[in-house]
Amino acid sequence: MLVQRIKSLFYVFLNTLAWFFFLPVALIYSLRRVQDRQALKQRLGSGLFSIRFPEGCFWLHACSVGEVNSLLPLIAELESKGIPITLTVITSTGFQRARELWPEIPVFLMPFDLFSPLLILRNRKELRAMFLMETEIWPGMIACCTLCSIPVSLINGRISDRSLPKYKKISWLLSPILNQLERVFAQSETDRERLRAIGRTLDIELMPNLKFWSVKVGSPPNKTFFPDDSPYFVAGSTHEGEDELIIRAYMEIKSRVKNLRLVIAPRHLSRVEKISQLLKARKLPFSLKTLQISPSEVTILNTIGELQNFYLLPGIVFMGGSLVKSGGHNPLEPLYAGKIPFTGPHTQNFKDIIRTLKSENLIIQVNTSRELAEKAGAALLRNTDDTVKIREFFRKIEKDRQSLLKKILP
């Protein structure tokens, strides 16, 4: 125990030293992005000493919106047991989403890892355990928790195709940090092998992806602005270079499908103006959702946290980030809304979920904008009700939920 604490203290020291060199790079990167610039004060430790954790607290740490959503089943279980929770996130969008989902839970933007040991040391007596989501491997945070005898678990662990080569190069640095984690749960056998490849030598347990239980069903948008007597093509979480392809597919489909409307929800709101210019160039009438006063042929969803509601509109759903090499987004969200989603070929961020959905014929993959237009147009004209098939799928995975939560929680 003493040796472990000495090691942890040494890692905290090394992490602090490294951050003095890395901090200028982090500042420049943050200043380049609008959402990070707005949160920069908190990331630099503003209000650090005013953050207090309730006694017996479970600290959950996630990155952005996707990881925050994944915490839904875990937080519901902790709340049912009366366990106090504090949540920290990295991005502004993740922070906003967390506040929407859990207004009663303390939520903070996580300061840079240079300052996280100070936060832990100040609240060490109140902290009962810490859970890190997916790939949130912060050396200073983990080492300081170990130093203070706070058990840390990595849950829903995954290493992406893109990250693996980078992590392998620094496995000598990651290995001692990964082996300080009390428990590690990987999403799949592939992720378990990758975690071993980057330095985890202790036991790694398998768990089903939390995202299977993390979707919250919304409510349909206002019928005054979005009447349900028209079919909709909803493109969710689109990325740079993808909107033009979506608009092209939409224009092909609308020549065959009467009264078709389009909803584009960019993953990053900073691209709203670019999408507006694309629509103007195509001479398509459009409105921003926040300015909409009547039904519009095309709506740009320029809000956060409403996309799930739009999946409930009649028609089809395309999951963005998959016609370009961004890795895709969670296809379970439209599935919960009763829609079999369309997706492009680039879905590496959700490989295991995609594999499961393919085996159940609950996803339609396309390779090009033209193929999307053909298959989506056919689906709109066919107008098949897939509700029963989808409901049966979710009935199956619900059976595993309770046993999974018992496995994760100490």
Side-chain angles (χ1 to χ4, degrees):
M1 180 64 76
L2 179 60
V3 173
Q4 179 72 300
R5 290 199 172 192
I6 292 171
K7 280 185 180 179
S8 299
L9 188 60
F10 179 63
Y11 296 145
V12 171
F13 169 74
L14 281 183
N15 180 72
T16 304
L17 190 64
W19 264 96
F20 277 112
F21 294 97
F22 181 65
L23 187 58
V25 178
L27 285 171
I28 292 167
Y29 178 77
S30 298
L31 287 167
R32 286 174 57 194
R33 303 180 63 188
V34 174
Q35 66 263 39
D36 285 350
R37 195 156 62 236
Q38 292 169 344
L40 192 55
K41 284 185 180 179
Q42 289 96 320
R43 302 299 307 281
L44 286 168
S46 171
L48 186 69
F49 292 103
S50 64
I51 298 174
R52 296 307 305 238
F53 289 56
E55 189 176 347
C57 172
F58 274 46
W59 181 5
L60 310 181
H61 178 65
C63 180
S64 191
V65 175
E67 294 79 20
V68 167
N69 287 336
S70 297
L71 286 169
L72 275 162
L74 185 58
I75 287 181
E77 184 71 9
L78 291 171
E79 287 184 321
S80 72
K81 296 177 183 296
I83 297 172
I85 302 160
T86 295
L87 175 60
T88 53
V89 296
I90 300 297
T91 66
S92 298
T93 52
F95 178 81
Q96 289 174 36
R97 181 60 174 154
R99 292 298 297 270
E100 288 167 5
L101 289 172
W102 305 290
E104 72 289 348
I105 291 177
V107 181
F108 305 101
L109 281 164
M110 187 68 191
F112 288 131
D113 206 26
L114 171 63
F115 306 106
S116 61
L118 298 174
L119 179 62
I120 295 161
L121 289 169
R122 179 173 171 78
N123 292 279
R124 64 189 181 280
K125 293 179 181 177
E126 286 75 30
L127 282 167
R128 179 173 160 191
M130 182 176 196
F131 291 98
L132 306 174
M133 284 294 295
E134 298 199 1
T135 53
E136 287 300 294
I137 304 166
W138 288 46
M141 187 191 323
I142 294 168
C144 194
C145 281
T146 305
L147 181 65
C148 298
S149 301
I150 300 162
V152 184
S153 299
L154 180 72
I155 59 173
N156 229 36
R158 63 181 288 269
I159 304 294
S160 68
D161 296 342
R162 189 183 301 175
S163 300
L164 183 60
K166 300 173 192 173
Y167 286 161
K168 275 186 172 180
K169 288 178 183 177
I170 57 167
S171 59
W172 57 274
L173 186 62
L174 288 173
S175 182
I177 300 301
L178 285 169
N179 287 306
Q180 287 199 21
L181 294 167
E182 182 169 279
R183 301 176 82 192
V184 173
F185 296 91
Q187 292 181 16
S188 67
E189 185 60 49
T190 300
D191 291 304
R192 176 153 69 179
E193 291 306 314
R194 288 178 175 183
L195 283 162
R196 284 176 177 152
I198 66 170
R200 172 74 177 185
T201 58
L202 303 179
D203 187 42
I204 301 173
E205 300 175 67
L206 286 178
M207 61 174 283
N209 194 329
L210 272 177
K211 286 184 170 70
F212 275 114
W213 298 279
S214 65
V215 182
K216 198 170 184 178
V217 179
S219 54
N222 193 322
K223 288 185 181 181
T224 304
F225 307 132
F226 300 95
D228 57 11
D229 58 354
S230 293
Y232 289 81
F233 179 168
V234 179
S237 297
T238 63
H239 283 246
E240 183 77 37
E242 199 166 37
D243 305 294
E244 177 62 33
L245 301 175
I246 296 296
I247 294 167
R248 192 184 306 160
Y250 165 73
M251 293 184 75
E252 281 191 49
I253 299 168
K254 79 167 192 168
S255 65
R256 290 180 284 152
V257 179
K258 188 179 178 182
N259 297 327
L260 183 65
R261 300 178 191 273
L262 173 65
V263 176
I264 301 181
R267 177 66 172 175
H268 303 293
L269 297 186
S270 56
R271 291 194 308 101
V272 167
E273 181 56 33
K274 286 186 181 179
I275 299 170
S276 301
Q277 294 304 320
L278 288 172
L279 292 168
K280 286 176 185 176
R282 292 279 189 167
K283 297 182 178 174
L284 285 169
F286 73 93
S287 174
L288 302 183
K289 196 271 179 180
T290 53
L291 301 177
Q292 200 152 337
I293 57 173
S294 62
S296 177
E297 180 182 342
V298 181
T299 299
I300 302 175
L301 186 57
N302 62 333
T303 61
I304 293 171
E306 286 193 277
L307 183 53
Q308 187 64 34
N309 299 341
F310 284 80
Y311 291 151
L312 292 163
L313 289 169
I316 62 106
V317 171
F318 172 79
M319 291 308 297
S322 58
L323 279 175
V324 293
K325 294 180 179 180
S326 292
H329 290 285
N330 192 351
L332 292 171
E333 293 179 357
L335 207 61
Y336 265 89
K339 306 287 194 314
I340 292 181
F342 286 80
T343 185
H346 306 291
T347 56
Q348 58 269 28
N349 290 348
F350 295 88
K351 241 189 291 193
D352 294 301
I353 291 177
I354 295 290
R355 190 183 300 119
T356 301
L357 296 184
K358 276 185 176 179
S359 69
E360 301 283 344
N361 293 316
L362 288 173
I363 196 162
I364 302 168
Q365 279 197 295
V366 298
N367 293 306
T368 64
S369 173
R370 181 173 291 277
E371 190 180 357
L372 173 61
E374 289 172 2
K375 292 189 175 181
L380 285 163
L381 291 169
R382 192 166 55 245
N383 195 27
T384 307
D385 186 358
D386 298 303
T387 308
V388 174
K389 185 164 65 168
I390 293 170
R391 191 182 296 127
E392 182 58 32
F393 169 73
F394 283 115
R395 192 177 291 123
K396 286 180 194 174
I397 66 168
E398 178 60 24
K399 290 178 182 178
D400 299 327
R401 190 170 72 91
Q402 288 303 323
S403 59
L404 170 63
L405 292 170
K406 286 176 184 175
K407 185 178 183 180
I408 293 174
L409 294 175

